[in-house]
Amino acid sequence: MIKIMDKIARIKELVEILNKASKAYYAEDIEIMSNFEYDKLYDELVALEAETGTILANSPTQNVGYEVVSELPKEKHPARMLSLDKTKEVDALVSWLGDKKGLLSWKMDGLTVVLTYDNGELIKAVTRGNGEIGEVITANAKTFVNIPRSISYKNRLTIRGEAIITYSEFEKINASIEDVDAKYKNPRNLCSGSVRQLSSKITAERGVKFYAFSMVEPEDTELLSSFENSFEKRFEYLQSLGFDTVEYKAVTADTLPDTVKEFSAKIPTNDFPTDGLVLSFDDTAYGKSLGTTAKFPRDAIAFKWQDEEAETTLRDIEWSPSRTGLINPVAIFDTVELEGTDVSRASLHNITYVKDMQLGIGDRIKVYKANMIIPQLSENLTKSGNLAIPDTCPACGGSTEIRNDNGTETLNCVNPSCPAKNIKLFSLFVSRNAMNIDGMSEATIERFIGAGILHKLSDIYHLADHRDVIVTMEGFGEKSYDNLIKAIDNSRKADMAAFLYALGIPGFGVANAKLIVKAYKSDINAIMDAVPEDLMEIDQVGEVLARDFVEYFHSEEKRSEVMRLLDEIEFIIEENTAEQDLEGMTFVITGSLETYPNRDALKKEIEDRGGKVAGSVSAKTTALINNDIASNSSKNKKAKSLGIPIISEEMFNNKQFT
C-alpha cells in the first residue's frame, strides 16, 4: 500500500511539474525545461499511470496545451486538434507502419496555424491554442511571406500548417537588437510572439513563413475523390494551389530507417527549426478508420531523435554578469563531441537549476544537444553538491545576492556602478562614429566584463594582456583575437571629435563634438578646462549641454579615466585648407547620392568648408540637397512650405544654393 501511495504521490508531482512547463512554453513563450527533461518526465508519468491505473483529470497525458492569455479574439476550432503520440525508436516506427505505405516529414518547431479559405480568399487564420480554442490572427497571417492570399479552389478549404521563422531571419532580427537582454532566445519563441502580435505591421517585419502539413477533411466530394485516399496527393494538391508544404518522403517499412537517417543528416544545414519527424499513413481512409485515443490520433506518430549523450567532467563554473545585474552560471567541462561538433560549455540557467542538479566541480556529468543544437546537461552522475555560489560579482567585485522569483533563485549583482550594467557606454565607445573598433559587439563586451578583464574604457587598450583568456572564449580563436587587437591598435590614431563623442557625455553628439573641437582649435586641454559661458558662445551648444559637458570633466573619476585614455591614443589633426565659403550656411541631405560615396562624405565637405548639416528642415536651413527635386517626400514638402531651395548635388557643387 505504501509503495502504491508513493507512486501516486509521484504522479501528482509529475503532473504539477509538466503542466507548469507546458504553460510556460505554450502560453507564455518561456522555456523553463529542456525537451530532453520534459520527455523524460512525461515518459515516467505514462509508465506510472499504466502501472497504477490512476490518471488525474489535469494530467498532461489527457489535456492538450493551455488557454491562451493574449488580447487577441478567441475562437473554437470546428474539430479538436490533438497532439501526436511519439517514439524515439526507429524500430517502433517500423512496427507502427507495418505493411502500409507512409509519408515521413519534418515536425517543424514554430506555431501551428489553421487557415480557412472561401471563394478563393483567405478569410480566417487561427492559432492552435489549447487544441480546442485558438486565437484569431487573420490580419497577421496575411503578412506571412510565402502564404497565398488567393487560391484557384473556390469552395471552402481548411489547411493546417506551421508558422516558423528561419535561423537566418532569427539571427538577422537579433543582430538588429542592441540590448543583449532583449534578444530572443530561439526562433520558436520569436515566431510565437510575432504571429500573436496585436499589430500586423510588426508581424510583417519578422519574415514569418508558413508550411502546410495537412488538410481538414473537405466537404467537396469531387475534390475528395481526386485524392484517391492518398495523403501524398493531398500534399501535391496543396502545392498546386501555391502552398509551401513541409518536406516529405514516401516510405515503407524497408526504406524507413534509411530515410530517417537522410533527414537526420540535413539537420546541421537546415535553415529552419525542427523538433523531430512525423510519420503518417498515406492511405487516409485507413488512417481515419483507426480513430483516436483521448489525446492522440492513430493515423500519425511523431519521432524524436535519441539525444546523443556524452559523459564528461565538470571543470569550472563561469559566472557571467549581464546588464540587468543577473549573473548567469555556465558549465565548463572537458570537451566532448556531440552531433559532429566539439562542445565544452552549457548554460546552467539559474541557481535553482544548479542546486537541483547538485553540481560540484569535478562531478561526472552527461551532456547532450537539445534538438541536436543547444548544449545542455542531462544528468549529474556523482552529485557532490559542493559548488560554492559566489558572494562577489566577477565584473566589479561588489556584493551579490540570491533573489527568489516565483520559486526560481537567481544570483544578482547589487552594485549600481557595475560595468556589466553599463555596456551601452562601452558599446558607444567602440562604435563606428566613435573609436571604430571592429569586432567588439555587445555580446563580446559582456563576455569580457564577465571574465573580469574589462572594468573601464581604458582597459580596452590592455586586452592584449589577456590573450590566453580571450582565445579560449566561446566564439573566439587566434584569428578573432588577432583581428580584434589590430582593430584596437588602429583606433589609437583617433579623430578628436570622435573621441569626445565616444566618452558618452549626456546629450553630446558627433556634430557638437566637431563644433567644439573647431572652436577650441583642437586643443584637448583647453576643451577639458572649458567653462559653460564660453561653450554657450558656440552655435548649437545650449546651456544644458554646456553644463553637462563641464560637469563631466570636473568629475575627478571621469577626468582621470580620460587622462588614462589619452595615454593610449594619438590625435590626428588634419589641417583644413578648404575655402570657408559655406560659413553660416546649414544644409539638410536626403535621398540617394550620385557623385559622393555616401552622406558622410558630403557632410564632411560641407563642414570642412565651414557649413553645418542638420537632420531636419527648418526656417534656418539654407538648402535641402535632394537629387529627386520633384519628389513628394516629407522633407521636400517641408522645404517647399518654408520656401527653402531644393537643390541637386550638381547644383550644390556649382554653388547654386538659391
Side-chain angles (χ1 to χ4, degrees):
M1 178 62 69
I2 295 176
K3 190 173 182 181
I4 190 69
M5 292 304 294
D6 287 344
K7 290 179 179 179
I8 290 176
R10 179 58 175 165
I11 286 175
K12 291 180 178 179
E13 181 183 16
L14 289 169
V15 166
E16 182 179 352
I17 292 170
L18 292 170
N19 281 344
K20 182 179 178 181
S22 292
K23 184 175 182 180
Y25 186 80
Y26 288 109
E28 300 166 1
D29 298 332
I30 300 171
E31 190 169 344
I32 62 174
M33 180 184 293
S34 69
N35 286 342
F36 182 95
E37 293 169 288
Y38 186 93
D39 290 345
K40 185 177 180 180
L41 296 179
Y42 186 95
D43 292 343
E44 182 185 352
L45 177 61
V46 170
L48 285 171
E49 288 178 344
E51 184 179 347
T52 63
T54 300
I55 302 176
L56 303 179
N58 65 336
S59 171
T61 66
Q62 303 303 301
N63 298 312
V64 186
Y66 277 85
E67 291 291 334
V68 294
V69 293
S70 80
E71 299 175 39
L72 292 167
K74 312 294 193 302
E75 182 169 306
K76 188 172 183 178
H77 294 294
R80 189 178 181 214
M81 296 181 66
L82 301 174
S83 299
L84 294 177
D85 198 0
K86 65 181 184 298
T87 182
K88 292 185 177 182
E89 303 291 339
V90 176
D91 288 345
L93 285 184
V94 172
S95 176
W96 182 90
L97 186 59
D99 61 356
K100 302 294 183 182
K101 174 187 174 183
L103 289 186
L104 191 65
S105 61
W106 290 115
K107 187 174 183 293
M108 290 185 161
D109 193 16
L111 191 70
T112 300
V113 175
V114 183
L115 307 178
T116 300
Y117 287 78
D118 202 0
N119 196 30
E121 300 295 326
L122 175 62
I123 62 168
K124 187 166 55 182
V126 184
T127 67
R128 179 184 182 278
N130 68 352
E132 292 186 358
I133 298 174
E135 300 159 296
V136 180
I137 51 135
T138 309
N140 294 348
K142 288 180 178 179
T143 71
F144 294 174
V145 295
N146 66 334
I147 204 168
R149 295 288 292 271
S150 300
I151 59 175
S152 58
Y153 182 70
K154 299 306 177 185
N155 290 336
R156 198 173 185 88
L157 189 65
T158 301
I159 299 156
R160 293 175 178 173
E162 198 80 354
I164 64 141
I165 287 179
T166 62
Y167 285 120
S168 53
E169 189 68 23
F170 169 74
E171 290 166 2
K172 178 182 171 184
I173 292 170
N174 258 357
S176 69
I177 302 173
E178 292 187 357
D179 187 342
V180 173
D181 293 327
K183 292 181 185 289
Y184 295 94
K185 291 185 177 179
N186 55 57
R188 190 263 168 199
N189 284 7
L190 173 58
C191 181
S192 179
S194 300
V195 169
R196 296 158 65 200
Q197 287 288 330
L198 297 179
S199 168
S200 58
K201 181 177 183 296
I202 298 175
T203 307
E205 295 169 349
R206 301 286 176 81
V208 180
K209 293 184 176 181
F210 177 84
Y211 290 88
F213 58 66
S214 72
M215 180 190 305
V216 176
E217 203 77 356
E219 296 178 0
D220 186 340
T221 54
E222 184 178 343
L223 179 64
L224 263 177
S225 63
S226 71
F227 297 148
E228 300 173 4
N229 289 329
S230 170
F231 195 17
E232 186 169 17
K233 287 190 180 297
R234 294 191 182 205
F235 269 124
E236 292 170 353
Y237 182 69
L238 288 174
Q239 291 168 359
S240 75
L241 293 177
F243 290 95
D244 287 329
T245 63
V246 294
E247 181 187 356
Y248 64 88
K249 288 195 174 184
V251 293
T252 63
D254 291 336
T255 63
L256 184 54
D258 286 340
T259 308
V260 170
K261 290 179 182 178
E262 288 178 29
F263 274 97
S264 303
K266 294 181 179 181
I267 290 178
T269 56
N270 276 349
D271 193 30
F272 53 86
T274 61
D275 58 0
L277 299 172
V278 176
L279 178 62
S280 308
F281 289 116
D282 182 56
D283 187 333
T284 53
Y286 173 75
K288 186 178 180 181
S289 72
L290 298 176
T292 67
T293 67
K295 184 178 179 181
F296 307 122
R298 290 193 171 100
D299 61 347
I301 187 172
F303 171 77
K304 302 189 83 170
W305 280 275
Q306 288 278 6
D307 296 295
E308 182 183 343
E309 284 186 298
E311 188 176 322
T312 184
T313 300
L314 181 65
R315 295 299 180 187
D316 197 8
I317 301 293
E318 177 184 288
W319 298 92
S320 179
S322 71
R323 71 186 58 207
T324 61
L326 188 68
I327 303 176
N328 302 297
V330 178
I332 311 296
F333 44 81
D334 290 341
T335 301
V336 292
E337 183 177 313
L338 289 173
E339 315 294 352
T341 60
D342 289 340
V343 177
S344 60
R345 301 163 58 88
S347 171
L348 297 176
H349 310 295
N350 49 56
I351 301 299
T352 298
Y353 183 91
V354 170
K355 289 181 177 178
D356 288 347
M357 292 289 284
Q358 300 178 50
L359 291 171
I361 305 302
D363 278 351
R364 293 295 292 173
I365 58 175
K366 285 186 175 181
V367 294
Y368 73 103
K369 277 190 177 180
N371 289 338
M372 302 176 76
I373 296 171
I374 304 169
Q376 300 279 344
L377 269 65
S378 58
E379 190 176 357
N380 183 3
L381 300 173
T382 46
K383 298 184 178 180
S384 67
N386 63 13
L387 186 67
I389 308 300
D391 54 11
T392 59
C393 171
C396 68
S399 299
T400 63
E401 68 176 19
I402 295 177
R403 298 173 185 168
N404 192 310
D405 183 15
N406 294 323
T408 300
E409 290 185 328
T410 59
L411 186 66
N412 296 265
C413 173
V414 297
N415 175 15
S417 300
C418 178
K421 298 179 182 180
N422 293 293
I423 287 178
K424 286 291 183 188
L425 174 61
F426 290 92
S427 182
L428 170 65
F429 187 84
V430 303
S431 64
R432 184 169 61 89
N433 290 328
M435 299 304 285
N436 193 24
I437 302 176
D438 192 29
M440 284 195 71
S441 65
E442 286 198 5
T444 297
I445 292 169
E446 189 166 15
R447 205 172 291 139
F448 288 170
I449 290 173
I453 61 176
L454 192 60
H455 300 277
K456 50 190 181 295
L457 294 176
S458 56
D459 290 337
I460 291 172
Y461 292 97
H462 298 277
L463 286 174
D465 298 340
H466 305 284
R467 177 188 173 282
D468 291 345
V469 174
I470 295 173
V471 295
T472 59
M473 286 183 173
E474 185 178 12
F476 262 89
E478 295 285 351
K479 186 175 181 180
S480 298
Y481 168 82
D482 290 341
N483 289 339
L484 174 62
I485 298 304
K486 182 179 179 181
I488 291 172
D489 287 340
N490 288 341
S491 77
R492 292 178 185 274
K493 292 188 181 295
D495 175 78
M496 188 178 295
F499 171 76
L500 290 174
Y501 168 64
L503 296 177
I505 301 169
F508 195 69
V510 177
N512 305 125
K514 289 180 178 178
L515 292 171
I516 289 176
V517 169
K518 182 179 179 182
Y520 283 86
K521 303 186 186 307
S522 300
D523 185 339
I524 189 64
N525 292 314
I527 291 172
M528 292 170 65
D529 293 332
V531 295
E533 294 75 18
D534 291 343
L535 288 168
M536 289 167 60
E537 292 295 319
I538 303 171
D539 191 31
Q540 296 185 38
V541 178
E543 181 181 353
V544 175
L545 180 58
R547 185 182 65 246
D548 288 344
F549 188 85
V550 171
E551 284 182 1
Y552 181 92
F553 288 105
H554 278 197
S555 163
E556 184 178 343
E557 180 183 353
K558 289 184 173 63
R559 193 179 182 98
S560 295
E561 176 63 359
V562 171
M563 296 306 293
R564 282 190 286 268
L565 286 167
L566 292 177
D567 286 339
E568 303 292 341
I569 64 176
E570 174 188 349
F571 291 124
I572 302 171
I573 310 297
E574 294 183 3
E575 185 178 354
N576 184 11
T577 58
E579 179 186 359
Q580 300 297 290
D581 59 334
L582 303 183
E583 192 82 44
M585 298 185 187
T586 301
F587 296 87
V588 175
I589 307 168
T590 190
S592 59
L593 300 175
E594 296 171 357
T595 59
Y596 292 86
N598 51 51
R599 291 186 189 180
D600 285 343
L602 177 53
K603 181 179 178 183
K604 183 178 186 304
E605 177 170 333
I606 292 171
E607 290 173 344
D608 286 347
R609 290 165 60 183
K612 301 170 194 169
V613 176
S616 58
V617 177
S618 70
K620 294 182 180 180
T621 303
T622 303
L624 170 64
I625 302 174
N626 185 357
N627 285 321
D628 189 359
I629 293 175
S631 109
N632 287 318
S633 69
S634 59
K635 287 182 179 176
N636 274 30
K637 289 179 180 178
K638 183 72 177 289
K640 289 174 183 176
S641 70
L642 295 173
I644 304 299
I646 303 172
I647 64 174
S648 65
E649 283 176 82
E650 183 180 2
M651 294 168 70
F652 170 78
N653 290 328
N654 292 331
K655 300 184 181 181
Q656 295 173 279
F657 304 151
T658 57

